[in-house]
Amino acid sequence: MNRTLTTLLIILFLVPLSPARADDGYRLWLGYKPVTDRAALEKYRQRFGNVMITGDSPVMKSARDEFIAGLTELTGLKVREVNSPEGRGIVVAGTFSSSPFVASLLSDVNPGTTGEEGYIIRGIRQGRKNITVVASDGDRGVLYGLFHLLRLISTESLPDNPDILERPATALRLLNHWDNLDGSVERGYAGGSIWNWHLLPGYISPRYRDYARANASVGINGTVITNVNANALVLTPQYLAKVAALAEVMRPYGIKVYLTARFNAPQETGNLSTSDPLDPGVIRWWRDKAAEIYSLIPDFGGFLVKANSEGQPGPQNYGRSHADGANMLADAVAPYGGVVMWRAFVYDNNVPVDRAKQAYNEFVPLDGKFRDNVLIQVKNGPIDFQPREPFHPLFGAMPSTPLMMEFQITQEYLGCATHLVYLAPLFSEVLESDTYAAGSGSEVSKVIDGTLYKHTLTGIAGVTNIGNERNWTGHLFGQANWYAFGRLAWNPELSPAEIASEWIRMTITHDPDIAGGIEEMMLGSREAAVNYMTPLGLHHIMAEGHHWGPGPWVDRGRPDWTSVYYHRADTAGIGFDRTTSGSDAAGQYFPPLDSMFNDPERCPENLLLWFHHMPWDHVMKSGRSLWDEMCLKYQEGVNRVNEYREFWESLRGRIDDGQFEHVRQMLDIQAYEARWWKDACLLYFQTFSRMPIPDGVEQPQHSLEYYRGLKFHYVPGI
Ligand code: BDP
């Protein structure tokens, strides 16, 4: 070996190209990377050397443990816990009622200002003393406030004189697990369920607490631990003991446990001959069941119900309405402060009405007929968690009923856990949409936060992407979607960019150049996915059943589960006519949206084929034909992902090895699949358009027969 080569090899050996650490993702955004900026560290030393947290409830104990551990890791300080306000720099935390010192520091704050979950963080100088006070009306507010302070430190964005008042926008901020008792997860792509039902209640996995910590750190305050396609077994004493054990772990982090209720449980597990919600025996059965649950779990949250949808039992099996069913359950949990979240995701293939219209038709007449402790949980769009849908027309249309948002964090229709798709732009797009229900300014966010129609019972839920894989979500960037859901549930006005920036700094890097590049990639990634899957308002053209990969040709089985039902491509054109001359789904929106969606010239182009069947040669705003535009959109999506791959490659050796390599491989798969989507869809739609693939669009790699012939076995999530 010549000498230069030997020297080079020695250098390569001695100087690792990349940080040696390989983050396995387990710690999520709570990895607390030590602050390295010297000036910042000096500032923290002066302000945070001492910590005085008053109160000894389980929630306050979590608050204390979390804050001291986090602060120590971030700053390397030997944090001193004190019982009186001593030391020059001190963090003082507590509730107004339990800490007279806190109350005296914030004597200008009226009781009730923060509420139980809100908080104030304020920097106060008293002579040479630096006090940072974190205060709330409730213990949970103190916990959230201390997590906020940790976030400010770990994102290096702590103001010199903080004066922050935060209150959550909605009362219920919940994750929905579609986890089954056999350990599988419906539409789950990150391994099996984190709940080990078999070992509960005896074995409490450390994961449960870490799950609770992560949720509390972003303000999530409840979890529905079972699938909406419910199993009545969970209501039996054997399983309730397991549920109670999980509730014990969640409680110190301010998280309530909820269950899905299978509507015919009185028959399935109670030996009753009916589950008719008006039957006195059934009413009694649920009342007793609620009493049993609350005796084990005094702070049990309540029930989430999927009824008369996709084969699930419900009140209509007994000739009763959704209101009859919901109210019966609501009465059972009302004495204990429980709620019922009744899902509006109902449609029936025996009803000859556009599926997009059915939930609205079913529920609007029931407005005002529900008990005070019922919320109607509505998916963000009228079909089913598509890459892009208009907002659900029910938002704004039921003024007398609290409507809860249901988002899907797990990427059922967005490339499973394999594709990097940052969902905050999707969530925000929906939340910011103006329903015009009470004139302009009636955004979806105001419907769900209760301000539009003056509701105090409010909520938002996200179908989680969590599984028992080491990194929780399968894809590292899936963690960002969990994080973003929590942050937006707390404050729907946060921008996707702000949230991404926080998450990147807490999870990957502080380097502003790298962080900026990652943020840009995240922000564009949802639109990229829309483009390579379902541009211009196309929807539900995924493969049958598992929904992974393209399947625009799916035409067999239940019509409303086929792709041809939704795209309606023929030689004349493509798209679902939902105008007045078609299904008139556009008519379910308030003016001026109804007429805007109805008019192909005014309908936003990104929803054109949702509302219109348009000729292939229709001239788009760009001057191109619809066909050419569609081809170019598909290509644009593919190009973006290729750019992400190149960008990511440029991070080699500049970020953690484990993170780098994991995402690198995932992006390779995504790029391959984006192209597969483009090629398959364009070849299929070309059989109708009969137009050539325009310049600037790569020719498909294989034939249509090839793509149609691909079969996949054991795709996760079913
Ligand atoms: C669809 C899923 C199905 C769910 C259903 C629901 O494909 O697995 O059970 O929604 O939300 O998106 O009830």
Coordinates of all heavy atoms in Angstrom, one line a residue, residues 178 186-187 227-229 306 309-310 343 345 347 355 379 384-385 406 408 412-413 463 545 547 717, ligand 1:
W178 N -56.5 2.7 17.0 CA -57.3 1.7 16.3 C -56.7 0.3 16.7 O -56.4 -0.5 15.8 CB -57.4 1.9 14.8 CG -58.3 3.1 14.5 CD1 -59.1 3.9 15.3 CD2 -58.6 3.6 13.2 NE1 -59.8 4.8 14.6 CE2 -59.5 4.7 13.3 CE3 -58.2 3.2 11.9 CZ2 -60.0 5.4 12.2 CZ3 -58.6 3.9 10.8 CH2 -59.5 5.0 10.9
E186 N -55.4 -1.7 13.5 CA -56.0 -1.4 12.2 C -55.4 -0.1 11.6 O -55.3 0.9 12.3 CB -57.5 -1.2 12.4 CG -58.2 -0.9 11.1 CD -59.7 -1.4 11.1 OE1 -60.1 -2.2 11.9 OE2 -60.4 -0.9 10.2
R187 N -54.9 -0.2 10.4 CA -54.2 0.9 9.7 C -53.0 1.3 10.5 O -52.6 2.5 10.5 CB -55.2 2.1 9.5 CG -56.5 1.7 8.9 CD -56.3 1.0 7.6 NE -57.6 0.6 7.0 CZ -57.8 -0.2 5.9 NH1 -56.7 -0.6 5.3 NH2 -58.9 -0.5 5.5
N227 N -59.9 0.1 19.3 CA -60.3 0.4 17.9 C -61.8 0.8 17.8 O -62.6 0.2 18.6 CB -60.1 -0.9 17.1 CG -60.3 -0.7 15.6 OD1 -60.6 0.3 15.1 ND2 -60.0 -1.8 14.8
V228 N -62.1 1.6 16.9 CA -63.5 2.0 16.7 C -64.3 0.8 16.2 O -65.6 0.8 16.4 CB -63.7 3.2 15.7 CG1 -63.3 4.5 16.3 CG2 -62.9 3.0 14.4
N229 N -63.7 -0.1 15.5 CA -64.3 -1.4 15.1 C -64.2 -2.2 16.4 O -63.2 -2.9 16.6 CB -63.7 -2.0 13.9 CG -63.9 -1.2 12.7 OD1 -65.0 -0.6 12.5 ND2 -62.9 -1.1 11.9
K306 N -68.5 4.0 17.0 CA -68.8 3.9 15.6 C -70.0 3.0 15.5 O -69.9 1.8 15.9 CB -67.6 3.2 14.9 CG -67.8 2.9 13.4 CD -66.5 2.3 12.8 CE -66.7 1.9 11.4 NZ -65.4 1.4 10.8
S309 N -72.0 1.7 10.7 CA -71.1 2.1 9.7 C -70.2 1.0 9.4 O -69.7 0.3 10.3 CB -70.3 3.3 10.2 OG -69.2 3.5 9.4
E310 N -70.0 0.6 8.1 CA -69.1 -0.4 7.7 C -69.4 -1.7 8.5 O -68.5 -2.4 9.0 CB -67.7 0.0 7.8 CG -67.4 1.2 7.0 CD -65.9 1.6 6.9 OE1 -65.2 1.4 7.9 OE2 -65.5 2.2 5.9
R343 N -69.4 8.9 16.4 CA -68.8 9.3 15.1 C -69.8 9.5 14.0 O -70.8 8.8 13.9 CB -67.9 8.2 14.7 CG -66.7 8.1 15.6 CD -65.8 6.9 15.2 NE -64.8 7.2 14.2 CZ -64.5 6.5 13.2 NH1 -65.2 5.4 12.9 NH2 -63.5 6.8 12.4
F345 N -69.0 9.2 10.9 CA -68.5 8.5 9.7 C -69.4 7.3 9.4 O -69.2 6.2 9.7 CB -67.1 7.9 10.0 CG -66.4 7.2 8.9 CD1 -66.1 7.9 7.7 CD2 -66.2 5.8 9.0 CE1 -65.5 7.2 6.7 CE2 -65.6 5.1 7.9 CZ -65.3 5.8 6.8
Y347 N -72.0 5.7 6.3 CA -72.4 5.7 4.9 C -72.8 4.2 4.6 O -72.4 3.3 5.3 CB -71.3 6.1 4.0 CG -70.1 5.2 3.9 CD1 -70.0 4.3 2.9 CD2 -69.2 5.3 5.0 CE1 -68.8 3.5 2.9 CE2 -68.1 4.5 5.0 CZ -67.9 3.5 3.9 OH -66.8 2.7 3.9
R355 N -71.6 9.0 -1.6 CA -71.1 8.7 -0.2 C -70.7 10.0 0.5 O -70.9 10.1 1.7 CB -69.9 7.7 -0.3 CG -69.2 7.6 1.0 CD -68.2 6.5 0.9 NE -67.2 6.6 2.0 CZ -66.1 5.9 2.2 NH1 -65.8 5.0 1.3 NH2 -65.3 6.1 3.2
K379 N -64.9 13.3 10.7 CA -63.6 13.3 10.0 C -63.4 14.6 9.3 O -64.4 15.3 8.9 CB -63.6 12.1 9.0 CG -63.5 10.8 9.7 CD -63.2 9.7 8.6 CE -63.1 8.3 9.4 NZ -62.8 7.2 8.5
D384 N -62.8 10.2 3.3 CA -62.1 9.3 4.2 C -60.6 9.7 4.2 O -59.8 8.9 3.6 CB -62.3 7.9 3.9 CG -61.8 6.9 5.0 OD1 -61.5 7.5 6.1 OD2 -61.8 5.7 4.8
F385 N -60.2 10.7 4.9 CA -58.7 10.9 5.1 C -57.9 10.9 3.9 O -56.8 10.3 3.8 CB -58.2 9.9 6.1 CG -58.8 9.9 7.5 CD1 -59.2 8.7 8.1 CD2 -59.1 11.1 8.1 CE1 -59.7 8.6 9.4 CE2 -59.7 11.0 9.4 CZ -60.0 9.8 10.0
E406 N -62.0 14.9 13.7 CA -61.2 13.6 13.7 C -60.2 13.7 12.5 O -60.6 13.7 11.4 CB -62.1 12.4 13.5 CG -61.3 11.1 13.5 CD -62.2 9.8 13.4 OE1 -63.2 9.7 14.2 OE2 -61.9 9.0 12.6
Q408 N -56.6 12.0 10.8 CA -55.9 10.7 10.8 C -54.4 11.0 10.8 O -53.9 11.5 9.8 CB -56.3 9.8 9.6 CG -55.8 8.4 9.8 CD -56.2 7.5 8.6 OE1 -56.1 7.9 7.5 NE2 -56.7 6.3 8.9
E412 N -52.8 6.0 6.4 CA -53.6 5.0 5.7 C -53.6 5.2 4.2 O -53.4 4.3 3.4 CB -55.0 4.9 6.2 CG -55.8 4.0 5.4 CD -57.3 3.9 5.9 OE1 -57.6 4.5 6.9 OE2 -58.1 3.2 5.2
Y413 N -53.8 6.5 3.8 CA -53.9 6.8 2.4 C -52.7 7.6 1.9 O -52.8 8.3 0.9 CB -55.2 7.6 2.1 CG -56.5 6.8 2.4 CD1 -57.2 7.0 3.6 CD2 -57.0 6.0 1.4 CE1 -58.4 6.3 3.8 CE2 -58.2 5.3 1.6 CZ -58.8 5.4 2.8 OH -60.0 4.7 3.0
V463 N -56.3 10.0 14.9 CA -56.1 8.5 14.8 C -54.6 8.3 14.7 O -53.9 8.7 13.8 CB -56.8 7.9 13.6 CG1 -56.6 6.4 13.6 CG2 -58.3 8.2 13.6
G545 N -58.6 -2.5 -0.4 CA -58.4 -3.1 0.9 C -57.3 -2.5 1.8 O -57.6 -1.7 2.7
H547 N -55.1 -0.2 0.7 CA -54.9 1.2 0.4 C -53.5 1.6 0.1 O -53.1 2.8 0.2 CB -55.6 2.1 1.4 CG -57.0 1.9 1.5 ND1 -57.7 2.2 2.7 CD2 -57.9 1.4 0.7 CE1 -59.0 1.9 2.5 NE2 -59.2 1.4 1.3
G717 N -51.7 -3.5 8.6 CA -52.8 -2.5 8.9 C -54.2 -3.1 8.7 O -55.1 -2.4 8.9
Ligands
BDP1 C1 -61.4 3.9 7.1 C2 -60.5 2.7 7.3 C3 -61.1 1.6 8.2 C4 -61.8 2.3 9.5 C5 -62.7 3.3 9.0 C6 -63.3 4.2 10.2 O1 -60.2 2.1 6.1 O2 -60.1 0.7 8.6 O3 -62.4 1.4 10.3 O4 -62.2 4.3 8.2 O5 -62.8 5.3 10.3 O6 -60.6 4.9 6.8 O7 -64.2 3.7 10.8

